Amino acid sequence: MAENITQEAVQTPGAVFFIFGATGDLARRKLFPAIYSLYREGKLAEDFAVIGVARRPRSEEEFREDLYRSINEFCRYKIEDTDHWNRFAGHFSYKSLDINDIDGYCELRELTESVEARFSIPGNRLFYLALAPELFGSVSFNLQKGGMLSSEGWHRLVIEKPFGYDLQSAHKLNEELSQVFKEEEIYRIDHYLGKEMVQNIEVIRFANAFFEPLWNNKHIANIQITLSETVGVEERGGYYDHAGALRDMGQNHMLQMLTMIAMEPPSRLVAEDIRDEKVKVLRSLRSYASEEEVQAHVVRGQYAAGESNGKELPGYREEDKVDSGSNTETYFAAKVFVDNFRWAGVPFYIRTGKRLPVKTTEVVVEFKQMPTNVYLGQKHTLEPNLLVIRVNPMEGIYIKINAKKPGSESKIEPLAMEFCQSCLIGINSPEAYERLIHDAAQGDSTYFTRWDEVATAWAFVDRIASAWAQKPSDILTYPAGSWGPTAADDLLAQDGFHWWPVNGQEEDNVIWIRQG
Ligand code: BG6
């Protein structure tokens, strides 16, 4: 009953997947559904086992009921065939564990050896820590002490963000992990790198003669990356109030997307070569040296009460588990420069925020204007060409060009040609977590962040954060449901640009040709 919708089914080598935090939200919403999809698509053969680990006591039967509910609610495949389901669920076991208790790890080892024998798994073990980052170090250490890393096959550690709070804490965490795991055994998740369209950036750039020759400061005027969310902080106020938008989204997802857009073509399409190129981009980021420079290039904001679609929304300071006097930013926009030969002088405008009007992730590449002193330019106000990559929730690309209005003598109109990938394959687009778990089990770390990437990104972000820390209350507010502080518009206006409207807010004068 394996289904092969979007990718050839490359099977993972037999392995045991340990999900630490198996009763938590991430496991329920993302990890179990991802494992089920991999099984449905034939990417997991029968030689795999999953051991859910959490503190809470849970019988095997209760655990499988949780699993059933999670898949029914969150998986893109529904459970249709009872025999198939029973076969799948038979691969799952549960171990209640106090993660500080070494004896518990010894029991876990016994359970592991028995499932390895049952499913003929050759000792390959993948440890997915869906846990608070403070626990990564001690769990790794206890895995070693409890003899979990002494089997013959490979051992891999998969961890979620945030990887530290700043460069110093990230260093400390990395040192702890590296006492147990080698760098090539550590898979740091940035789920944006698992998104279909983020991975497609490489293909759009390096497989099209249209784009790569123009991909530089001679032809590109600016690049805009928007990652907007309609939600507030939901039930994560405690974590978020400590982190803020810069650490939650900037240090990871936004800088990772920027590196994919800006990197040089790697010499080979292999993990280390690609990650080498990404690190070079991060090293080329112009660092803002003083508080004034940060202020001139970065805007921070916090949402106040507002409304969206007729619904009243509370301000950030009124959210659950948020300090009522909090100065944490829920929005930031920055003008960033990549100071290398390719990008010298091209501004990258990046912005992200909670409680904005639309949920979208988009990259807009704005090309330089045609000369206005010749021919068409003298008679018309031409719009710049755009290449827009839609990452989330709509997936696709469009290009905007100028064309003659049909039938008119000389009228020129902007024409947008769109390939809407999500309209074509709809819900069958694999989830980021499916790809990433599959990649980690294959030993492919291309779409995971290497330590030097993480460290360089922190160094960049820390300078901004420490300038902000000088004047914590110097934060702008914006009404929930708006596009953030207007100062973010000024960042572009100073350079003669503006934010292009995102998904669903297309301009009236553009003719759309859609496929999908
Ligand atoms: C997470 C952030 O990494 O990404 C969240 O911690 C954010 O604050 C989420 O909501 C957004 O992810 P996506 O895939 O829904 O755009």
Side-chain angles (χ1 to χ4, degrees), residues 283-299:
R283 286 201 202 116
S284 307
L285 291 179
R286 186 182 302 172
S287 55
Y288 305 125
S290 64
E291 214 182 298
E292 291 70 38
E293 272 189 48
V294 168
Q295 207 172 7
H297 292 91
V298 192
V299 171

Side-chain angles (χ1 to χ4, degrees), residues 161 191-192 195 227 229 236 239-240 248-249 253 354 359 361 392:
K161 67 171 258 286
H191 79 279
Y192 263 69
K195 290 192 191 273
L227 209 160
E229 297 191 275
R236 295 163 73 225
Y239 149 77
Y240 195 89
D248 184 49
M249 302 289 247
H253 310 325
K354 301 239 180 241
K359 162 82 180 163
T361 302
N392 191 23

